[in-house]
Amino acid sequence: RITLLRAWESLRLFGKIKLMLALLWSSIKQPSEKELREWMESVLNDRTGKSDLMKKAMDEMAKSFPTLKKVIIDERDEFMVAKIKQTAELLACSTSKDGDRVMVVVIGAGHCGGVVEKLLLDAKSSPLPEEVLPSITQTKRKLEDDSEGSDVV
């Protein structure tokens, strides 16, 4: 909910109109059966890995709606990295009889590149989770439940 609210707030009036028209147009103009078949064949028969649909979709979104990409993809990457770091710190501080601890993180394909890139940054150059989270969980409009925003930090 916070991400969608921040995404909507990131758009100016023209951007909101453009987004609404794009959504309306995409719901009216459906691809033909031939276009769907060609698209599916290109994806299924691509052995080179050059048909990365997720990357293409994000690049297209970044061209048309750069602020949406920043909020929906980039800030979510930062949020997930901060939460992964917080969880890893808690695991490192907890006691275990086994000794070894394993953390498994499941994220969407659109976030893999950004999350991995941010996790591989030098720990000294990346900000602490406590520095990152407040700035990406605040909205311009006050939420009805004030405690909701503090839960995510």
Side-chain angles (χ1 to χ4, degrees), residues 8-139:
W8 184 253
E9 289 176 348
S10 74
L11 296 171
R12 294 188 174 172
L13 179 62
F14 178 73
K16 290 176 182 177
I17 293 170
K18 183 178 168 184
L19 176 63
M20 296 306 288
L21 290 174
L23 292 172
L24 180 65
W25 179 252
S26 68
S27 67
I28 292 171
K29 191 213 174 281
Q30 299 293 318
S32 69
E33 187 177 331
K34 180 183 177 187
E35 289 173 323
L36 283 174
R37 284 188 193 283
E38 289 173 359
W39 175 77
M40 287 175 59
E41 286 177 15
S42 71
V43 171
L44 294 174
N45 295 330
D46 180 31
R47 302 284 185 234
T48 64
K50 292 180 182 174
S51 181
D52 186 0
L53 292 178
M54 192 60 65
K55 173 113 174 77
K56 287 179 184 177
M58 287 196 307
D59 290 345
E60 190 174 318
M61 181 175 65
K63 281 185 214 168
S64 301
F65 303 100
T67 58
L68 284 184
K69 190 220 180 250
K70 180 183 180 290
V71 172
I72 294 174
I73 303 298
D74 300 338
E75 287 183 2
R76 294 299 299 161
D77 290 352
E78 290 176 26
F79 180 85
M80 287 187 275
V81 166
K83 287 301 190 178
I84 290 167
K85 287 180 178 181
Q86 280 182 336
T87 305
E89 287 175 20
L90 286 172
L91 281 174
C93 293
S94 67
T95 59
S96 174
K97 295 177 185 176
D98 301 341
D100 291 338
R101 292 176 187 84
V102 176
M103 185 168 88
V104 177
V105 178
V106 179
I107 58 174
H111 293 284
C112 285
V115 169
V116 169
E117 180 181 313
K118 287 172 178 47
L119 283 172
L120 293 176
L121 282 176
D122 182 25
K124 294 176 185 174
S125 67
S126 63
L128 296 171
E130 294 77 18
E131 297 170 351
V132 174
L133 292 173
S135 67
I136 59 177
T137 56
Q138 296 171 349
T139 61

